[in-house]
Amino acid sequence: QVQLVESGGGLVQAGGSLRLDCASTGGGFSFYAMGWYRQGVGKQRELVARIGSSGLANYAADVKGRFTISRGNANNAVSLRMTSLQPEDTAVYYCNAMTRQRAYPYNQVEYWGQGTQVTVSS
């Protein structure tokens, strides 16, 4: 079965940078969209950034200009480059990927990674 494997989280001081990586395993999947969500303590899970197969990216307002999302050539991997990190960015970051069933009715199928902790100290 397909899995999303995340890496790159850790502890960083405010103003620092981290790169998160996510790669799919378990099959030759190609996702039409991949992205990153995050959930801080006491907060709802929220979209951080998403990129489609066309290369069009969408960012949350509070990370735009600081984070950059990119995809792998096979559309089965995604990375998030985070710069100018602030304590408010502290959260568990989850990789997300979407595809369609290979047979009728071709419903959307969504996958999630296990999450990787990002902690930003002031």
Side-chain angles (χ1 to χ4, degrees):
Q1 61 181 20
V2 65
Q3 291 184 330
L4 302 179
V5 180
E6 300 143 327
S7 62
L11 175 65
V12 65
Q13 294 188 78
S17 300
L18 286 173
R19 173 174 162 166
L20 304 182
D21 294 297
C22 174
S24 66
T25 63
F29 283 87
S30 180
F31 302 101
Y32 68 81
M34 298 187 74
W36 292 90
Y37 289 72
R38 68 185 180 187
Q39 186 168 15
V41 175
K43 299 181 179 179
Q44 297 282 344
R45 183 174 60 184
E46 64 178 357
L47 173 69
V48 179
R50 177 182 291 165
I51 187 167
S53 60
S54 68
L56 182 64
N58 176 257
Y59 297 90
D62 58 345
V63 308
K64 190 174 296 183
R66 299 190 297 120
F67 292 8
T68 303
I69 191 168
S70 60
R71 58 177 180 156
N73 292 333
N75 292 318
N76 59 6
V78 65
S79 296
L80 184 70
R81 178 66 175 172
M82 305 182 293
T83 64
S84 300
L85 284 163
Q86 301 299 314
E88 292 76 16
D89 297 314
T90 295
V92 178
Y93 285 69
Y94 297 92
C95 181
N96 170 266
M98 290 187 290
T99 187
R100 296 277 182 177
Q101 294 176 321
R102 300 191 181 197
Y104 182 86
Y106 305 104
N107 289 330
Q108 180 177 292
V109 180
E110 191 169 32
Y111 297 94
W112 293 93
Q114 79 285 352
T116 184
Q117 178 71 48
V118 172
T119 303
V120 184
S121 62
S122 59

